[in-house]
Amino acid sequence: MNIQDLIYFNDLAKTLNYTETAHNFFVSQPTISLAVKRLEEEFDTNLFNRQRFSKGMTITETGELLLDFSNRLVLQLAATKQKIRDTSNNVVSFGFLPTIGGALWPRFIPQVKKASQIFIFTKKKVRMSCLNLSKPEKYQLPS
């Protein structure tokens, strides 16, 4: 099994059309067929129900199981690739509570610029676990 087979499978499960999936990846239809065949042999199951005369197809129950796994795997691989790129490019991520970040960030930027010229700003929702970390009764805050 290879990762590209899973990527083709994910798209085919979405389109349910070999030609469209091949077009999406700029490959031939037999490339997609062979990828599915390799996966079916690897897992010893049919991943799709194919109807020859109606030219329709549906994903099987075992195909759904593999799809759930492969979607998570492909997302995890993409996240891992990004982290590796960030590491090799000296990208550092910081998180601040909105009330603290506004005051600290302007003083912090000149120090960060000395280490890296790459800045990626992201805005994420504050989680309750982050707020819990800031409670004085849990952690002693400096005065």
Side-chain angles (χ1 to χ4, degrees), residues 6 21-22 35 39 55 64 74 78 82 87 95 99-100 105 110 112-114 118-119 127-128:
L6 291 173
T21 295
L39 290 171
K55 292 191 177 185
E64 289 284 354
V74 169
Q82 185 61 49
T87 300
T99 54
I100 297 171
W105 193 240
V112 175
K113 277 187 177 181
K114 291 177 186 175
I118 301 171
F119 289 99
R127 296 181 182 193
M128 290 308 295

Side-chain angles (χ1 to χ4, degrees), residues 5 12 17 45 52 58 60 64 67 104 108 119 137 141:
D5 289 351
L12 183 59
N17 185 298
T45 188
R52 285 185 168 201
T58 58
T60 63
E64 289 284 354
L67 180 62
L104 292 180
F108 196 62
F119 289 99
E137 66 269 10
L141 298 176

